[in-house]
Amino acid sequence: MTGVSTPTSTTEIQRRVRIVLCCAQVVSSLGNGSTLALGSILAVELSGDEALAGTATTALGLGAALAAVPLARLAAARGRRVALGAGLLLAIAGTFAMVGAVLASSYALLAVGSLLVGVATAVNLQARFAVTDLAEPQHRGRDLSLVVWAITVGAVLGPNTGRPGAALANVLGLPTHAGAFVISAAGMVVGGTVILLFLRPDPLLVRRRLDDAPPMAKGAHTWAAGARIVAAHPVALAAVVGLVGAHATMVGVMSMTPLHIAHHMHDAGSPDTLEIIGMTISLHIAGMYALSPVMGVLTDRFGAYTVTAGGLVGTLAAALLAGFGSAHLPVVTAALVLLGLGWSAASVAGATMLTSALPPTQRVEAQGFGDALVSLVGALSAALAGIVMGRVDYLGVGIAYGAVTVGAFLVLLALGRRTASRSAVTAS
């Protein structure tokens, strides 16, 4: 495009890719934070059924799951720029659907909007893989973590757009909750524009040229094809298990926290419910993203497997702390921060392990499958958390998802031993 400089060497392209993706992530991540903070409350208000509290978060996860493989396929065919840009266009439509849901008091429209906003999650996940296309092997964890870290600003501000959103809604003549989603839409528009204008040359297309990769085969980039690749590589499978376990626990506990706080604040007669929820979710999201570069450095230094396992231990401790400390909001807040840190370690290390375990010709396919599975499990986790919350309260949520984390850790441990045994046999 005229006026957009084009770097020539691989090092220069990679530097540009890091900058562009980080800038886009900063502003495009506002939507998820707003939906996470307001979704469960709006779902109950619009449906009149507390058992449906987790459905907005469920739809958010389903949107990401449904979009992951198609976006990976589009990336393989047309490049990361087109795939990421197309995903954000759908997410922008979702934010306007959320505004419409508030205007029309429509639970159905809320679900549709959450589904489309969830595509932004798939974009954020694919962006972290996009930065590894041209990264040097010894710096994959670092580069991936920088793009994850860039989400911090938008993701932390997102849950706190309630008050400025209300002021904007007042100016625009909209209902109070609608303003936060208008702000989200604006952020996604800016992020999409940055990607479409400046992610040139495309890192994945450059990677394919460097590897002299063949054209995309017929039937490639499907759930089944990605699953076969992951299942054939124990290290890749271990990576996906770590990603899925940490994400399931994080989403399950986090999605019910706003509702738990709302109940607690109502019982205490406090008028500052939205502010407390926004602050708690913001601190949780800060835990998820703010220390991502540290997780990247630890991954490059100590190994992805070790850091992934440590992340699962962190999410287990957080789930139990949140459940058993549910009567004390400071304890719940601390647990949510720890939950974010555990997720961050497992997410950065797991994604790095998945990428490093596979040859370039299989990475995009496996990445798409991994993202889809993680998002699908997250969606189911939010739905089940709502059922658990309705029957045994927040303590039950903490215990249930603590058990999920233990299961993932044991499978990860078994796969690690299997890989070590296979390496020992090969060496002998």
Side-chain angles (χ1 to χ4, degrees):
M1 171 173 269
T2 304
V4 179
S5 61
T6 302
T8 54
S9 74
T10 302
T11 301
E12 290 174 342
I13 295 172
Q14 177 63 3
R15 184 182 300 114
R16 184 189 184 97
V17 167
R18 282 198 303 266
I19 293 172
V20 170
L21 289 176
C22 286
C23 291
Q25 294 282 76
V26 166
V27 290
S28 66
S29 53
L30 285 168
N32 286 352
S34 300
T35 306
L36 289 174
L38 298 175
S40 61
I41 294 172
L42 286 174
V44 173
E45 287 183 0
L46 298 181
S47 70
D49 187 351
E50 194 164 289
L52 298 177
T55 53
T57 307
T58 299
L60 200 71
L62 280 177
L66 293 172
V69 171
L71 287 181
R73 186 179 182 86
L74 184 58
R78 302 287 302 277
R80 299 287 192 185
R81 185 179 69 88
V82 173
L84 297 177
L88 283 178
L89 286 176
L90 288 173
I92 291 166
T95 59
F96 284 111
M98 298 291 278
V99 173
V102 177
L103 287 171
S105 297
S106 170
Y107 171 76
L109 196 53
L110 174 72
V112 171
S114 298
L115 190 77
L116 290 173
V117 170
V119 179
T121 300
V123 170
N124 291 337
L125 291 173
Q126 191 176 111
R128 82 198 198 285
F129 285 129
V131 80
T132 67
D133 289 333
L134 297 174
E136 297 176 354
Q138 67 271 27
H139 295 311
R140 282 198 187 111
R142 182 201 64 185
D143 286 1
L144 185 148
S145 67
L146 287 174
V147 172
V148 174
W149 172 81
I151 298 174
T152 305
V153 176
V156 171
L157 290 178
N160 289 296
T161 53
R163 188 181 291 274
L168 178 62
N170 184 56
V171 172
L172 298 177
L174 298 172
T176 301
H177 288 325
F181 298 109
V182 174
I183 295 174
S184 299
M188 289 182 185
V189 168
V190 174
T193 300
V194 169
I195 286 172
L196 291 172
L197 288 181
F198 299 108
L199 195 60
R200 301 169 181 265
D202 190 283
L204 183 55
L205 298 183
V206 172
R207 178 79 270 163
R208 290 174 64 85
R209 287 197 298 271
L210 291 173
D211 296 335
D212 196 22
M216 186 173 65
K218 185 178 180 180
H221 297 284
T222 63
W223 273 73
R228 284 193 295 269
I229 291 172
V230 170
H233 296 79
V235 176
L237 184 57
V240 171
V241 168
L243 289 167
V244 166
H247 195 69
T249 301
M250 186 276 292
V251 172
V253 176
M254 178 274 301
S255 63
M256 290 302 104
T257 299
L259 189 60
H260 171 66
I261 293 175
H263 287 167
H264 188 93
M265 299 298 285
H266 179 268
D267 293 341
S270 174
D272 299 323
T273 302
L274 285 179
E275 287 78 4
I276 297 297
I277 291 173
M279 180 61 67
T280 300
I281 298 300
S282 290
L283 288 172
H284 164 66
I285 294 176
M288 291 173 66
Y289 298 115
L291 295 183
S292 295
V294 175
M295 304 305 177
V297 171
L298 292 175
T299 297
D300 289 336
R301 181 167 183 178
F302 296 107
Y305 179 87
T306 300
V307 178
T308 301
L312 288 176
V313 171
T315 56
L316 169 62
L320 296 179
L321 181 62
F324 286 102
S326 59
H328 308 284
L329 288 187
V331 174
V332 171
T333 300
L336 265 287
V337 173
L338 178 59
L339 184 67
L341 290 171
W343 177 90
S344 179
S347 180
V348 169
T352 303
M353 181 160 53
L354 178 60
T355 299
S356 301
L358 300 168
T361 53
Q362 295 182 330
R363 284 176 189 161
V364 176
E365 210 157 16
Q367 290 164 354
F369 167 75
D371 284 348
L373 184 61
V374 165
S375 298
L376 178 61
V377 168
L380 294 175
S381 181
L384 292 173
I387 296 173
V388 174
M389 181 81 168
R391 294 188 176 182
V392 291
D393 210 359
Y394 195 64
L395 171 60
V397 173
I399 294 174
Y401 285 96
V404 169
T405 311
V406 169
F409 182 84
L410 293 176
V411 174
L412 182 73
L413 190 63
L415 287 169
R417 287 176 175 172
R418 174 182 164 190
T419 303
S421 297
R422 179 177 295 183
S423 299
V425 170
T426 302
S428 63

